[in-house]
Amino acid sequence: ALAGETLEPLGEAVELFEKALALRPLDSHLLVERSLAKACLEGSQLYEQGDWAGAIAKLQKVYEIKPEYVAGRAAQLLYEAHMARGNEQVEKEAYPLAQQEYSQALEIARQRGDEAVLMLFEAQHNLAEAYAKGRETKLAIQHYQEAFAAAGLGSASGSGSPLATYLEGAEAAVQEGNYALALKQYRQALASIA
């Protein structure tokens, strides 16, 4: 995964910041940088242990101060922790809590911009499924539409591919108000590209 090996140098960074702070204990820049490195390292360790809540708490602090900390790896890890916590909530059938986690992950993906197309698609898809399982079909369809649009797959109509056929069927079902069929068509569209 992303955590352990790519964020290991933060341990050394924390030690170096400690040494620098021994010489300049009131340096606000050093204090902030040590705090960020320490929180990111601890968040990474908690992530590796599967402690999603702990990882989120640590990494959220880093993300709020420097969203692109460690070349965006902290944000990626925060996204993954929200997705994992959302998955846990789905397993417990706690769909509103899963929706909250996936929404947080989606917001992080949106902030990452064009580089995060797969993150956007994954978060929208998981959000759609959480709404579907919570019997909120219209919201599920909305998120499926946004997922395919984010991935640039919403415009496949007319191509004759299975994906286009399913997407066209889903849109036709939405227009007819047959949301159960639309949901089925979106799921089949996803299966056709998996």
Side-chain angles (χ1 to χ4, degrees):
L2 172 66
E5 62 258 18
T6 58
L7 297 179
E8 272 181 23
L10 288 176
E12 290 177 41
V14 170
E15 289 176 21
L16 292 173
F17 286 127
E18 295 289 347
K19 290 177 182 176
L21 282 165
L23 299 173
R24 295 176 22 203
L26 300 177
D27 186 316
S28 61
H29 176 73
L30 289 174
L31 288 166
V32 168
E33 290 301 321
R34 179 194 60 184
S35 175
L36 289 172
K38 193 172 180 181
C40 192
L41 181 62
E42 289 170 357
S44 171
Q45 291 165 342
L46 291 166
Y47 176 90
E48 290 295 324
Q49 296 166 10
D51 179 352
W52 313 130
I56 289 168
K58 295 288 183 181
L59 294 166
Q60 186 66 39
K61 292 176 185 177
V62 175
Y63 183 74
E64 288 171 1
I65 295 169
K66 279 191 177 179
E68 290 302 314
Y69 193 69
V70 194
R73 290 186 184 111
Q76 176 72 32
L77 205 53
L78 178 60
Y79 165 86
E80 290 178 14
H82 278 295
M83 293 296 288
R85 196 158 133 182
N87 293 343
E88 277 187 352
Q89 297 304 324
V90 166
E91 288 175 16
K92 296 176 184 175
E93 298 182 8
Y95 304 119
L97 295 175
Q99 293 158 8
Q100 289 174 5
E101 294 300 331
Y102 295 142
S103 292
Q104 290 291 321
L106 179 59
E107 189 54 38
I108 294 164
R110 284 183 175 144
Q111 296 297 319
R112 302 289 309 265
D114 292 339
E115 71 183 57
V117 171
L118 290 176
M119 290 168 62
L120 284 167
F121 186 85
E122 179 185 39
Q124 289 284 14
H125 166 259
N126 284 25
L127 200 47
E129 283 301 313
Y131 278 116
K133 290 176 181 175
R135 304 202 189 289
E136 297 180 67
T137 309
K138 287 183 184 179
L139 286 171
I141 289 168
Q142 175 187 336
H143 286 285
Y144 261 119
Q145 290 169 329
E146 291 176 21
F148 283 106
L153 299 173
S155 60
S157 63
S159 72
S161 70
L163 172 63
T165 302
Y166 289 127
L167 290 176
E168 289 168 1
E171 290 306 313
V174 168
Q175 295 303 317
E176 296 168 4
N178 189 343
Y179 301 114
L181 177 60
L183 186 58
K184 181 179 177 183
Q185 292 288 310
Y186 279 120
R187 286 173 171 160
Q188 289 176 316
L190 181 62
S192 77
I193 59 173

